[in-house]
Amino acid sequence: MFDFPALVHLHRIRPGRLMHVGPVGLGTIPGYYEAGYSDITVFYADREHIKSVRTRFPGVNAVSELPDTSLPAQTCVIDMPGYELSLVQLIPAEVELLAVSTSASDNTNGASSYDLLTEVTTTRGFVEIDRQKRADGATIDVAFVNLMEGS
């Protein structure tokens, strides 16, 4: 995923509430803290992963069930290739920064393609600000800002 401190600084994002959907790596939460985020919620259905996040980062709200109150956030990170299109549909209009992982291929049996993701996000008022391919070559991380935020 992105270097969040650099991304937030470059695009003048004011860190607020952050919702991360999917597993988090070792450097993910520290990167959010370094970028200025302190109100962080992590959602992932794997209860063992959530338990690990709670142990390592006691200040993070880590949940294995997604309550309706979790979605309103200023920044949303979706790191669940294959589910990203349906999750992007749930993103509220208040979101300013959206980071999404998607498949690098157009494999209709696997994760949604980059083209479909950009189509869905741009129709919701987002514009792409950054994109990078992961070392595995199969995943692309894409960042968007919301030009219609709050409308």
Side-chain angles (χ1 to χ4, degrees):
M1 196 46 83
F2 294 100
D3 175 351
F4 251 74
L7 187 69
V8 166
H9 176 73
L10 180 65
H11 296 286
R12 298 184 181 136
I13 302 294
R14 288 174 290 110
R17 188 166 189 213
L18 184 140
M19 177 69 179
H20 182 108
V21 180
V24 292
L26 290 175
T28 305
I29 301 296
Y32 294 156
Y33 285 144
E34 187 181 336
Y37 292 92
S38 59
D39 185 0
I40 302 168
T41 298
V42 173
F43 164 72
Y44 191 50
D46 181 335
R47 292 179 192 268
E48 288 303 311
H49 183 77
I50 290 303
K51 184 178 175 182
S52 158
V53 171
R54 285 182 184 144
T55 302
R56 249 196 258 116
F57 305 102
V60 171
N61 180 26
V63 296
S64 58
E65 293 182 19
L66 191 60
D68 292 340
T69 56
S70 294
L71 281 177
Q74 178 261 352
T75 297
C76 286
V77 177
I78 299 172
D79 191 5
M80 294 187 66
Y83 299 95
E84 69 277 26
L85 285 181
S86 56
L87 291 167
V88 164
Q89 305 279 346
L90 301 174
I91 299 301
E94 296 81 26
V95 169
E96 294 175 29
L97 176 62
L98 174 63
V100 184
S101 297
T102 193
S103 174
S105 72
D106 287 331
N107 180 359
T108 57
N109 295 325
S112 304
S113 72
Y114 165 77
D115 292 335
L116 289 172
L117 175 65
T118 54
E119 182 180 335
V120 168
T121 53
T122 55
T123 59
R124 301 209 52 225
F126 289 91
V127 64
E128 182 179 325
I129 56 171
D130 203 350
R131 170 182 33 177
Q132 63 187 30
K133 191 176 271 194
R134 289 193 188 176
D136 66 10
T139 307
I140 298 175
D141 295 322
V142 189
F144 303 90
V145 291
N146 190 346
L147 296 180
M148 299 169 43
E149 185 263 320
S151 56

